[in-house]
């Protein structure tokens, strides 16, 4: 096939990469994992679609261009052998497009629609949140990512799926192993055996759930429309996304509030502002920093000539601080009117299925923490900061609070 000439350049060698996209050429994955925001701001302003040699692909940092990519699944697909999650858990709604994507997604969609989320999950989330806080309350100090946010997310996902015969610790260990494998592959490393082994255990638990004649759950319902291996791969994706999204949402939002006493005071005076705090935290530091697509044809995106087969990564982190949409984009402002324009849950056909559930969990969790732990504050001896190339949250969030005498 003969290619039509492109009006914009694409690097076809190391030299042209440096000449055409100098900022991208000097961007390291370590920098993007550690503190991406200054570099992303430079890229967005000068190279909004930039070739990153370390990524071996394009990085999109402008919000409008990111939306173009996520909306157009015919040109920018997830259905590619390089898609990292599929390498660990196999084909699923996350790694398929078109009719195949719809067939995998639809059996799981009903409980996560906005009208049903509160009715189906609010009471369970409130009970689980209170149970976790009650266990922590007398201590006056805790590391809340692993002692609270993670266990809450796991409990809700396990309940939502109806997975039988498992414990929170077991599901959390599966999740950790799968996330590690996906992250290793994304960073160009060789993933160890732990991820596939964890997925094999999850698949066995799904098979046992579906085979249980007394079970009535989302997994059983999905098995009426999908093969059991397909149910398992999608259960892994929902578990993976549900835990990662919610654990990061709660941890990052609490960190943002405790780092900004003026905004914390507003929430404490009016709990109705919690929804705004959650959205603004999602904008400022989305738990999933990037989404990957692969070009199905030669095309032009902004200033770049994309070739068929190219990796195109949309930086949700970069898009969420686009000053063309968000005034003073680096400021945490829980009253920001345009906060809902954030793209933390992606967009288009692959918009997060359980976004409304994640929001509900985060709001209930934050409200209960602030109500029940007086004087809640960061531990100054153990500072926290988000970290990660693909998934961003603090490794730990150490806090203290006042315990009545």
């Amino acid at each position: 096939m003969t290619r039509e000439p492109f009006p914009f350049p694409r690097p076809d060698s190391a030299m042209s990469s440096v000449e055409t996209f100098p900022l991208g050429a000097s961007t390291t994955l370590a920098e993007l994992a550690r503190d991406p925001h200054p570099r992303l701001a430079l890229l967005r302003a000068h190279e909004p679609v930039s070739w990153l040699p370390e990524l071996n692909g394009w990085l999109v940092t402008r919000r409008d261009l990111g939306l173009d990519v996520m909306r157009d699944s015919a040109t920018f697909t997830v259905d590619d052998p390089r898609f990292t999650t599929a390498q660990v858990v196999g084909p699923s709604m996350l790694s398929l497009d078109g009719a195949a994507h719809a067939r995998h997604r639809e059996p799981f969609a009903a409980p996560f629609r906005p009208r049903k989320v509160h009715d189906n999950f609010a009471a369970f989330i409130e009970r689980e949140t209170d149970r976790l806080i009650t266990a922590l309350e007398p201590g006056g100090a805790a590391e809340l990512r692993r002692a609270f946010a993670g266990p809450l997310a796991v409990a809700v996902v396990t309940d939502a799926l109806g997975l039988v015969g498992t414990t929170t610790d077991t599901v959390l260990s599966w999740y950790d192993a799968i996330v590690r494998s996906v992250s290793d592959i994304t960073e160009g490393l060789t993933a160890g055996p732990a991820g596939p082994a964890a997925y094999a255990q999850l698949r066995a638990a799904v098979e046992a759930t579906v085979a249980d004649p007394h079970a009535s759950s989302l997994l059983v319902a999905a098995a009426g429309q999908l093969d059991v291996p397909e149910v398992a791969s999608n259960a892994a994706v929902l578990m993976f996304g549900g835990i990662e999204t919610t654990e990061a949402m709660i941890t990052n939002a609490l960190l943002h509030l405790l780092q900004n006493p003026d905004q914390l005071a507003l929430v404490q005076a009016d709990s109705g502002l919690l929804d705004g705090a959650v959205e603004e935290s999602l904008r400022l530091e989305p738990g999933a920093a990037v989404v990957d697509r692969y070009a199905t044809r030669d095309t032009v995106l902004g200033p770049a000539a994309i070739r068929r087969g190219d990796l195109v990564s949309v930086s949700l982190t970069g898009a969420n601080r686009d000053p063309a949409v968000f005034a003073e984009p680096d400021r945490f402002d829980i009253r920001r009117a345009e906060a809902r324009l954030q793209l933390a849950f992606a967009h288009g056909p692959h918009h997060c299925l359980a976004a409304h559930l994640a929001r509900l969990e985060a709001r209930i969790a934050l409200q209960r923490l602030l109500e029940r732990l007086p004087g809640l504050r960061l531990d100054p001896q153990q500072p926290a900061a988000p970290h990660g190339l693909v998934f961003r949250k603090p490794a730990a969030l150490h806090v203290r609070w006042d315990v009545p005498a």
Side-chain angles (χ1 to χ4, degrees):
M1 182 178 105
T2 303
R3 284 196 176 94
E4 294 297 319
F6 280 92
F8 301 108
R10 175 195 186 275
D12 291 307
S13 68
M15 182 59 69
S16 63
S17 170
V18 172
E19 292 174 349
T20 310
F21 300 100
L23 289 173
S26 63
T27 299
T28 68
L29 299 186
E31 177 184 22
L32 295 179
R34 184 180 63 255
D35 181 19
H37 304 296
R39 174 62 60 160
L40 292 175
L42 282 173
L43 288 167
R44 191 174 51 237
H46 302 288
E47 297 174 16
V49 183
S50 184
W51 182 262
L52 273 60
E54 282 208 9
L55 188 65
N56 195 28
W58 302 96
L59 188 66
V60 182
T61 49
R62 217 171 71 193
R63 184 180 180 277
D64 59 332
L65 297 173
L67 285 172
D68 288 344
V69 172
M70 290 186 285
R71 286 170 173 162
D72 186 1
S73 61
T75 304
F76 301 101
T77 186
V78 297
D79 194 354
D80 186 280
R82 292 167 289 175
F83 197 80
T84 52
T85 306
Q87 292 182 46
V88 180
V89 306
S92 70
M93 69 177 85
L94 191 65
S95 58
L96 295 168
D97 273 316
H101 168 256
R103 187 177 73 84
H104 277 249
R105 182 178 172 112
E106 185 55 33
F108 295 92
F112 302 114
R113 293 190 174 114
R115 268 181 272 178
K116 291 194 173 182
V117 163
H118 188 276
D119 293 342
N120 289 346
F121 298 109
F124 178 84
I125 295 169
E126 289 168 354
R127 287 195 304 272
E128 191 64 17
T129 298
D130 284 334
R131 184 187 70 79
L132 290 166
I133 294 175
T134 296
L136 297 172
E137 211 167 12
E143 192 285 288
L144 288 186
R145 182 190 155 202
R146 277 311 198 201
F148 177 78
L152 175 61
V154 171
V156 174
V157 165
T158 304
D159 179 70
L161 293 177
L163 201 60
V164 301
T166 60
T167 67
T168 297
D169 287 343
T170 298
V171 174
L172 192 55
S173 71
W174 293 341
Y175 153 76
D176 281 337
I178 294 171
V179 167
R180 183 67 265 157
S181 287
V182 171
S183 297
D184 285 346
I185 294 169
T186 302
E187 294 172 25
L189 306 174
T190 300
Y199 176 61
Q201 294 174 39
L202 169 63
R203 179 169 167 169
V206 170
E207 290 171 349
T209 300
V210 171
D212 185 346
H214 304 294
S216 175
S217 70
L218 180 57
L219 296 179
V220 173
Q225 302 175 64
L226 299 172
D227 295 337
V228 173
E230 294 173 333
V231 175
S233 63
N234 286 291
V237 164
L238 289 170
M239 182 189 80
F240 175 85
I243 297 172
E244 180 63 41
T245 298
T246 310
E247 185 187 60
M249 280 178 69
I250 295 169
T251 307
N252 289 340
L254 189 58
L255 177 62
H256 286 138
L257 281 169
L258 297 182
Q259 285 178 330
N260 293 272
D262 59 326
Q263 302 298 294
L264 176 61
L266 292 174
V267 167
Q268 289 173 321
D270 180 4
S271 63
L273 294 173
L274 270 172
D275 287 334
V278 169
E279 293 303 312
E280 180 68 342
S281 178
L282 285 168
R283 183 194 68 80
L284 206 62
E285 198 70 77
V290 296
V291 293
D292 289 347
R293 302 290 186 265
Y294 299 89
T296 61
R297 62 181 179 86
D298 294 351
T299 189
V300 172
L301 181 67
I306 310 293
R307 295 281 173 84
R308 182 180 177 218
D310 282 355
L311 167 65
V312 181
S313 290
V314 177
S315 172
L316 302 178
T317 304
N320 277 358
R321 298 198 187 200
D322 190 334
V325 180
F326 306 102
E328 297 182 79
D330 297 324
R331 184 166 64 91
F332 180 63
D333 178 7
I334 67 171
R335 287 175 164 163
R336 184 182 296 274
E338 69 275 18
R340 276 265 179 174
L341 297 177
Q342 55 81 15
L343 301 177
F345 294 112
H347 196 80
H350 290 277
H351 181 267
C352 177
L353 182 70
H356 297 292
L357 175 59
R359 286 184 169 107
L360 180 65
E361 287 180 70
R363 179 163 51 79
I364 290 173
L366 291 172
Q367 184 169 358
R368 290 290 209 269
L369 286 169
L370 294 175
E371 286 175 350
R372 295 190 55 186
L373 303 179
L376 186 63
R377 57 197 180 273
L378 296 173
D379 184 340
Q381 303 302 315
Q382 302 186 76
H387 186 276
L389 178 65
V390 181
F391 306 111
R392 290 189 57 77
K393 56 182 176 289
L397 185 64
H398 292 274
V399 298
R400 295 183 175 277
W401 59 90
D402 300 329
V403 179

